[in-house]
């Protein structure tokens, strides 16, 4: 190996960065380590399919202005951050963006204002793509074969090979065989490549195998080898390495997730650094396969391009100035409409009689239409917006399972565990209850064991034909369900495999949490919901979940924040806790009184069909049960109203009879061929943190997150700080996942759902059978086949709180401040004279 290194440095003396005896200085190694770490830190995590949450793919870059990031992504990886110019021009031509919107956007963009840009000039510029310069990688400049257009480019071939290797390495579910002696990812790749005799043919380098001896033996050696050889200025190392990681952004994002999880658990994970070394080492292999003349020419091109990297990045930023203006104009158009709707609500005092029911919904945008419809159906219902994990930092372990499934936003780590318990009849003895629990566990484990044996039998080589012949008919039932979808309601997957006789007595409960801690949780939730002054006789905690069949991304429709889980477990656990008499007694001592006439009940909003399902209803006392029955009529009426609002977007007839429309939505949900069971959070555009009266009665079109907040109950601003550092970040992540997936579906979206193949059981998807791991949303989640159902707008956050309270949070939390000052979202607040916006460090009238 050392002979190879010395030979390389003789040919390219500018690459020498170590002592004459071949040893490297500590300072040099520190520079390499810092550059590699900076590149790895630039990659945002992506969660696995079964725990999917929405993530801003640029989250790690929010310390820079949006246009600066857009320029870097364009120059480093040809990734688009702003909407396409065709999209913006179409919005202008159709009147979605008006002249006034553009003029306001120009006025709020200092560089555009200084240049005297006019709307007509902007529209003329939008006719052509932005002239974005590109910074090449070594593999690009080496790939100069005249026949390169007749084969896979070396970049594509390498991405495919690295991706397949990662799929094999990280698969702990689908694959039955893996090489022995597996260690780290880099070593696994190195061993795999040395046995891959086809990659050279794909790349047009049939003798590639002869050069594999040049592969650096370790991750650290690969980093040093390539950075020494390239001879690039140290100032651009991190940018070059980030560009390299972006060629395998899907797997880099997966590795970043592993690092994120390790950090939550107080440890470290190095897979991302190993992936970077793999990508670097590939350059070393191909370099050895090239002759000296072509390599010398490639080095010259590469070094010349990267010597001018700062200039290239600045040129890219300048080229995107008018794209930023168009993005802002599109948002101003939406904000103007939002301001008008909120002004109408502020002028109309809601007529309300006695409140009989309080219903707390998740802040999810899909809850907004249902809340509005429910309030109209029964004025005695007060709805509340609250984070859908209901403040419980828990992981859930289903009955007879070893799985610990997080039930909270991915920003947080679980601090408590929820387990399933069997709650026998009140008159049953402890022995009866224990026996019933053991029976239920045994029954579920037997079912799981048979399923595992059947699954394993299908995966041995000898079963290739015999299994298909023997088991083929067993799939006819499932195929029949897909060909002729049923109209059955949502199934509860948490109880899959548990015989029905046990289901009614199975209850999720906090495990090992003492009374004082349970009381702390209850107090925090009641205060967070603003329920310290009044509690209705019936308080419903409404989580939400989706319903779909044969859908790899099903978890992403359940919740965009809580690790892809429904709110059922959290709502049921919190309901039980708030109904506990010992907890209520301790709350009373703290001055938080839950009247004895108040009962809490858990429910779930099915966002695909807009039905609401209650849980543990048999446990309700008589007075609460009667009120729950009265509430059902309001739920039915409200659900029907929302279904009719959603029907046109789904291609359904909004005038269909009530039952028929519901059955159509259920059949869509149970249809294994339906790629659009619902559109999730498509259209999301705003987050309102305010009392309900600020938005009550407004038709916000299912585009707004709503979190109740009363500043008069929060004089210290502590609750506002929690809302701006948790739910606001979560909604920002959701908003930017949709934005990025639409603006660059090739790099930041997951492509066509029909072509998806699941990788590793739950890791992610390939589009087809190769390429990089896909991240983001599928096209079907954003487009209905004719038009986009989402609009790429940065989130507009509107808060009802004093300016000094909001600014205090910005001063205390740099990440939150970056979102505002670097224009990753827009920040507004309510005043007596309308909305004002925080722009360039001061509050200005929004309109």
């Amino acid at each position: 190996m050392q002979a190879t290194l010395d030979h390389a440095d003789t040919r390219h003396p500018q690459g020498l960065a170590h002592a004459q005896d071949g040893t490297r200085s500590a300072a040099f190694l520190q520079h390499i380590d810092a550059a590699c770490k900076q590149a790895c830190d630039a990659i945002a995590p992506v969660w696995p399919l079964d725990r999917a949450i929405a993530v801003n793919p640029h989250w790690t870059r929010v310390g820079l202005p949006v246009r600066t990031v857009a320029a870097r992504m364009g120059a480093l990886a040809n990734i688009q951050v702003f909407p396409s110019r065709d999209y913006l021009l179409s919005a202008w031509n159709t009147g979605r963006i008006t002249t006034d919107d553009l003029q306001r956007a120009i006025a709020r963009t200092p560089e555009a204002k200084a240049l005297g840009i006019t709307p007509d000039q902007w529209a003329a510029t939008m006719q052509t793509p932005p002239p974005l310069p590109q910074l090449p990688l070594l593999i690009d400049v080496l790939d100069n074969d005249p026949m390169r257009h007749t084969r896979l480019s070396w970049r594509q071939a390498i991405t495919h090979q690295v991706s397949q290797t990662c799929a094999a390495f990280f698969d702990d579910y689908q694959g039955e065989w893996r090489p022995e002696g597996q260690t780290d990812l880099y070593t696994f790749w190195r061993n795999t490549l040395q046995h891959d005799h086809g990659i050279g043919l794909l790349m047009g380098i049939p003798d590639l195998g002869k050069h594999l001896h040049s592969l650096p033996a370790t991750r650290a050696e690969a980093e040093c080898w390539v950075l020494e050889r390239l001879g690039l200025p140290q100032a651009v190392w991190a940018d070059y390495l980030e560009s390299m990681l972006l060629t395998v952004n899907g797997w880099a994002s997966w590795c970043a997730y592993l690092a994120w999880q390790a950090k939550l658990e107080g440890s470290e994970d190095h897979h991302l650094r190993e992936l970077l070394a793999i990508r670097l080492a590939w350059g070393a292999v191909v370099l050895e396969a090239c002759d000296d003349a072509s390599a010398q020419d490639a080095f010259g091109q590469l070094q010349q391009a990267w010597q001018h990297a700062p200039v290239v990045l600045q040129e890219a930023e300048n080229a995107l100035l008018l794209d930023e203006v168009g993005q802002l104009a599109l948002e101003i158009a939406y904000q103007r409409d939002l301001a008008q709707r909120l002004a109408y609500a502020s002028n109309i005092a809601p007529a309300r009689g006695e409140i009989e029911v309080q219903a707390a919904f998740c802040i999810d945008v899909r809850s907004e239409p249902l809340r509005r419809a429910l309030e109209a159906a029964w004025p005695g219902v007060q709805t509340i917006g609250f984070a859908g994990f209901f403040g419980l930092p828990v992981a859930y372990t289903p009955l007879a399972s070893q799985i610990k499934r997080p039930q909270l936003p991915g920003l947080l780590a679980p601090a408590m565990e929820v387990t399933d318990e069997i709650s026998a009849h009140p008159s049953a003895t402890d022995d009866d209850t224990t026996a019933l629990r053991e029976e239920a566990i045994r029954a579920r484990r037997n079912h799981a064991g048979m399923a595992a044996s059947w699954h394993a039998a299908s995966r041995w080589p000898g079963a290739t034909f015999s299994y298909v012949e023997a088991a083929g008919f067993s799939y006819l039932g499932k195929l029949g369900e897909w060909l002729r979808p049923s109209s059955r309601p949502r199934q509860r997957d948490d109880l899959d495999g548990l015989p029905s006789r046990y289901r009614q007595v199975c209850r999720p409960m906090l495990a090992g949490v003492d009374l004082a801690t349970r009381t702390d949780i209850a107090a925090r939730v009641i205060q967070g919901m603003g329920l310290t002054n009044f509690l209705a006789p019936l308080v419903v905690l409404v989580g939400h979940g989706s319903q779909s069949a044969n859908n790899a991304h099903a978890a992403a429709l359940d919740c965009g924040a809580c690790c892809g889980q429904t709110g059922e477990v959290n709502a049921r656990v919190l309901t039980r806790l708030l109904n506990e008499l010992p907890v209520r007694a301790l709350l009373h001592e703290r001055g938080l009184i839950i009247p004895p006439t108040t009962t809490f009940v858990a429910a779930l909003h099915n966002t695909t069909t807009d039905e609401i399902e209650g849980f543990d209803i048999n446990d309700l006392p008589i007075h609460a049960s009667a009120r729950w029955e009265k509430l059902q009529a309001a739920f039915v009426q409200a659900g029907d109203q929302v279904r009719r609002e959603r029907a046109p977007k789904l291609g359904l007839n909004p005038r269909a009879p009530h039952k028929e429309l519901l059955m159509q939505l259920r059949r869509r949900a149970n249809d294994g061929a339906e790629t659009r069971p619902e559109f999730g959070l498509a259209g999301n555009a705003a987050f309102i943190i305010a009392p309900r009266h600020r938005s009550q009665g407004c038709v916000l079109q299912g585009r707004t997150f709503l979190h109740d907040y009363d500043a008069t109950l929060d004089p210290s601003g502590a609750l506002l700080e929690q809302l701006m550092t948790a739910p606001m970040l979560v909604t920002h992540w959701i908003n930017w996942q949709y934005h990025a997936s639409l603006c660059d579906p090739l790099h930041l979206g997951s492509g066509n759902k029909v072509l998806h193949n699941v990788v590793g059981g739950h890791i992610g998807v390939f589009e087809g059978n190769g390429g990089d791991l896909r991240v983001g949303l599928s096209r079907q989640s954003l487009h209905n086949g004719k038009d986009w159902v989402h609009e790429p707008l940065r989130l507009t956050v509107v808060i009802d709180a004093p300016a000094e309270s909001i600014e205090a949070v910005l001063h205390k939390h740099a990440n939150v401040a970056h979102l505002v000052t670097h224009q990753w979202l827009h920040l507004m607040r309510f005043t007596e004279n309308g909305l004002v916006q925080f722009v360039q460090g001061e509050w200005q009238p929004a309109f």
Side-chain angles (χ1 to χ4, degrees):
M1 174 59 68
Q2 190 56 54
T4 303
L5 290 174
D6 290 341
H7 176 60
D9 292 332
T10 299
R11 288 189 297 171
H12 305 288
Q14 68 271 31
L16 283 169
H18 53 83
Q20 293 299 317
D21 63 356
T23 61
R24 302 176 178 101
S25 70
F28 175 69
L29 295 176
Q30 288 173 357
H31 282 304
I32 290 180
D33 185 67
C36 291
K37 185 177 185 304
Q38 183 178 333
C40 291
D41 287 346
I43 304 299
V46 61
W47 268 247
L49 294 174
D50 59 341
R51 298 182 180 184
I53 66 172
V55 181
N56 174 6
H58 308 298
W59 171 244
T60 51
R61 306 179 180 101
V62 297
L64 298 172
V66 172
R67 180 152 55 95
T68 301
V69 171
R72 289 179 56 80
M73 293 300 96
L76 296 180
N78 197 28
I79 291 175
Q80 189 161 321
V81 173
F82 291 124
S84 71
R85 290 191 170 184
D86 286 343
Y87 186 99
L88 294 172
L89 190 60
S90 175
W92 166 258
N93 290 333
T94 58
R96 181 71 182 87
I97 295 176
T98 67
T99 300
D100 182 65
D101 299 330
L102 267 177
Q103 289 173 336
R104 288 177 180 272
I106 292 167
R108 280 176 43 189
T109 308
E111 296 95 325
K113 183 179 180 181
L115 291 172
I117 301 296
T118 67
D120 287 341
Q121 289 174 326
W122 177 87
T125 304
M126 291 297 106
Q127 303 283 347
T128 57
L132 281 182
Q134 300 287 302
L135 289 166
L137 295 174
L138 173 62
I139 201 69
D140 301 319
V141 293
L142 285 173
D143 191 9
N144 59 0
D145 180 353
M147 300 299 291
R148 63 186 178 276
H149 299 301
T150 65
R151 55 168 170 77
L152 277 179
S153 73
W154 288 353
R155 177 188 282 237
Q156 289 175 310
I158 289 171
T159 295
H160 180 82
Q161 193 277 334
V162 172
S163 183
Q164 295 293 314
T165 301
C166 287
F169 179 83
F170 290 113
D171 179 10
D172 58 3
Y173 177 81
Q174 289 177 311
E176 294 288 353
W177 308 279
R178 59 177 67 236
E180 295 181 2
Q182 174 185 325
T183 53
D184 58 82
L185 176 60
Y186 179 85
T187 302
F188 178 81
W189 166 79
R190 190 172 181 270
N191 293 338
T192 300
L193 185 60
Q194 290 173 339
H195 293 86
D196 186 345
H197 303 296
I199 187 66
L201 295 176
L202 284 175
M203 298 176 69
I205 313 175
D207 62 344
L208 181 68
K210 298 178 182 177
H211 303 281
L212 294 181
H213 67 276
S214 65
L215 271 175
T218 66
R219 167 185 68 79
E221 192 65 41
E223 294 169 350
C224 292
W225 199 103
V226 178
L227 287 174
E228 285 174 335
R229 188 75 176 270
L230 293 182
L232 300 180
Q234 287 185 0
V236 302
W237 282 3
D239 291 341
Y240 185 86
L241 296 175
E242 182 180 348
S243 178
M244 191 162 281
L245 277 176
L246 289 171
T247 66
V248 285
N249 181 61
W251 285 108
S253 299
W254 168 254
C255 292
Y257 161 76
L258 298 177
W260 182 286
Q261 294 303 110
K263 186 175 181 181
L264 288 179
E265 297 167 3
S267 61
E268 293 184 358
D269 183 276
H270 302 289
H271 286 107
L272 184 53
R273 186 76 173 260
E274 293 163 12
L275 179 64
L276 175 57
I278 289 171
R279 195 56 188 78
L280 283 166
W282 247 118
V285 174
V286 176
L287 187 59
E288 288 299 312
C290 295
D291 60 39
D292 289 351
S294 63
Q296 185 66 45
D297 181 60
F299 270 114
Q301 294 178 46
L302 186 73
Q303 290 165 357
Q304 183 177 10
W306 283 89
Q307 286 286 349
H308 300 96
V311 174
V312 170
L313 292 172
Q314 186 58 56
E315 288 176 353
E317 193 166 343
N318 294 339
L320 291 171
L321 174 61
L322 296 191
D323 300 78
E324 181 179 44
V325 168
Q327 171 81 81
L328 183 55
L330 194 66
E331 290 152 355
I332 288 173
Y334 168 76
Q335 291 167 350
R336 182 181 63 250
D337 178 75
L338 177 65
Q340 291 170 351
R341 293 173 188 267
L342 294 177
Y344 172 81
S346 297
N347 292 329
I348 304 296
R352 181 176 292 284
E354 179 185 1
I355 297 175
E356 296 188 52
V357 176
Q358 289 168 316
F361 286 81
C362 180
I363 63 176
D364 189 290
V365 297
R366 293 167 291 183
S367 299
E368 180 270 319
L370 189 60
R371 290 180 60 184
R372 170 169 38 88
L374 185 58
E375 291 163 344
W378 185 7
V381 176
Q382 175 191 7
T383 72
I384 299 164
F386 193 66
F389 76 113
F390 295 108
L392 295 182
V394 299
Y396 169 53
T397 300
L399 185 72
S401 169
Q402 299 300 315
I403 298 171
K404 282 186 171 56
R405 192 181 73 198
Q407 297 271 155
L408 75 173
L411 292 164
L412 308 173
M416 305 172 189
E417 185 177 357
V418 170
T419 57
D420 281 332
E421 298 295 335
I422 297 298
S423 178
H425 190 275
S427 62
T429 66
D430 289 345
D431 289 342
D432 291 337
T433 301
T434 300
L436 187 63
R437 173 180 168 77
E438 290 175 352
E439 287 175 18
I441 291 174
R442 209 163 30 242
R444 193 170 199 187
R445 284 180 176 167
N446 287 340
H447 180 276
M450 288 187 291
S453 298
W454 183 256
H455 184 62
S458 69
R459 295 159 70 179
W460 288 100
T464 305
F465 299 105
S466 60
Y467 176 83
V468 173
E469 292 177 0
F473 285 104
S474 68
Y475 285 91
L476 289 178
K478 181 176 290 188
L479 182 61
E481 289 179 8
W482 290 357
L483 293 174
R484 213 175 151 78
S486 72
S487 57
R488 68 171 182 267
R490 179 180 173 276
Q491 303 295 299
R492 293 167 62 187
D493 294 338
D494 288 342
L495 301 181
D496 185 40
L498 185 66
S500 58
R501 63 182 178 276
Y502 302 112
R503 294 189 176 205
Q504 295 302 315
V505 292
C506 187
R507 302 280 190 273
M509 302 179 186
L510 279 175
V513 179
D514 59 43
L515 177 59
T517 303
R518 298 201 304 276
T519 305
D520 290 340
I521 294 171
R524 187 168 61 247
V525 170
I526 289 173
Q527 291 166 343
M529 288 187 184
L531 298 178
T532 54
N533 291 335
F534 173 77
L535 280 163
L538 185 67
V539 181
V540 188
L541 305 181
V542 189
H544 66 92
S546 185
Q547 180 181 352
S548 59
N550 189 33
N551 183 4
H553 289 90
L557 294 176
D558 279 332
C559 183
C562 295
C563 290
Q565 311 306 323
T566 75
E568 175 187 340
V569 169
N570 299 62
R572 293 176 72 188
V573 169
L574 183 59
T575 292
R576 184 180 184 88
L577 188 153
L578 292 171
N579 284 330
E580 280 188 47
L581 294 181
V583 169
R584 292 188 176 197
L586 269 185
L587 286 173
H588 190 281
E589 293 179 9
R590 301 183 185 186
L592 294 172
I593 300 174
I594 299 179
T597 54
T598 292
T599 301
F600 290 83
V601 62
L604 188 82
H605 170 204
N606 182 335
T607 55
T608 308
T609 64
D610 285 302
E611 297 174 274
I612 293 183
E613 174 187 5
F615 300 112
D616 311 325
I617 304 304
N618 293 337
D619 296 343
L620 295 178
I622 294 175
H623 66 278
S625 182
R627 194 165 268 107
W628 171 260
E629 288 303 317
K630 181 180 178 181
L631 183 59
Q632 298 315 295
F635 281 158
V636 170
Q637 181 179 333
D640 183 68
Q641 177 181 322
V642 177
R643 286 190 285 273
R644 295 186 187 285
E645 290 180 12
R646 294 175 53 222
K649 187 180 287 187
L650 296 170
L652 302 177
N653 179 10
R655 296 183 178 85
H658 306 301
K659 184 175 180 180
E660 176 56 28
L661 182 56
L662 174 59
M663 293 303 105
Q664 287 183 37
L665 286 169
R666 282 188 181 178
R667 284 192 288 270
R668 286 176 64 90
N670 293 320
D671 186 351
E674 178 55 66
T675 58
R676 300 177 178 92
E678 63 160 292
F679 283 111
L681 294 91
N684 72 85
F687 180 26
I688 298 175
I689 303 174
R692 177 57 172 153
H693 71 79
R694 287 292 194 181
S695 59
Q696 192 161 3
C698 287
V699 179
L700 297 174
Q701 304 170 306
R703 305 187 68 183
T704 308
F705 302 96
L706 297 174
H707 199 301
D708 277 62
Y709 172 72
D710 187 344
T712 64
L713 301 177
D714 183 37
S716 69
L719 178 56
L720 178 64
E721 181 180 359
Q722 293 176 21
L723 297 180
M724 290 181 67
T725 55
M728 193 173 91
L729 296 190
V730 167
T731 55
H732 158 77
W733 274 20
I734 293 170
N735 173 260
W736 265 93
Q737 185 191 53
Y738 277 82
H739 188 286
S741 297
L742 190 153
C743 291
D744 195 336
L746 177 62
H747 296 100
L748 301 177
S750 61
N752 186 349
K753 189 182 286 188
V754 176
L755 303 178
H756 283 174
N757 280 304
V758 174
V759 179
H762 67 281
I763 293 174
V765 296
F766 286 153
E767 187 179 20
N769 66 347
D772 192 16
L773 191 71
R774 299 305 297 264
V775 300
L777 299 163
S778 69
R779 180 176 176 83
Q780 286 86 350
S781 293
L782 303 161
H783 199 277
N784 63 13
K786 295 181 179 179
D787 301 297
W788 294 108
V789 296
H790 181 70
E791 197 171 21
L793 307 176
R794 290 171 291 189
L795 192 69
T796 296
V797 180
V798 187
I799 303 177
D800 191 4
E804 55 271 20
S805 297
I806 297 173
E807 291 177 38
V809 178
L810 298 181
H811 291 149
K812 186 175 179 180
H813 297 277
N815 269 351
V816 178
H818 288 157
L819 295 180
V820 179
T821 58
H822 292 157
Q823 299 183 322
W824 291 94
L825 55 74
H826 302 284
L827 181 61
M828 297 183 177
R829 56 179 290 266
F830 289 96
T831 72
E832 293 181 357
N833 299 317
L835 298 181
V836 294
Q837 184 165 0
F838 196 67
V839 179
Q840 297 174 15
E842 60 181 32
W843 295 98
Q844 302 174 3
F847 295 96

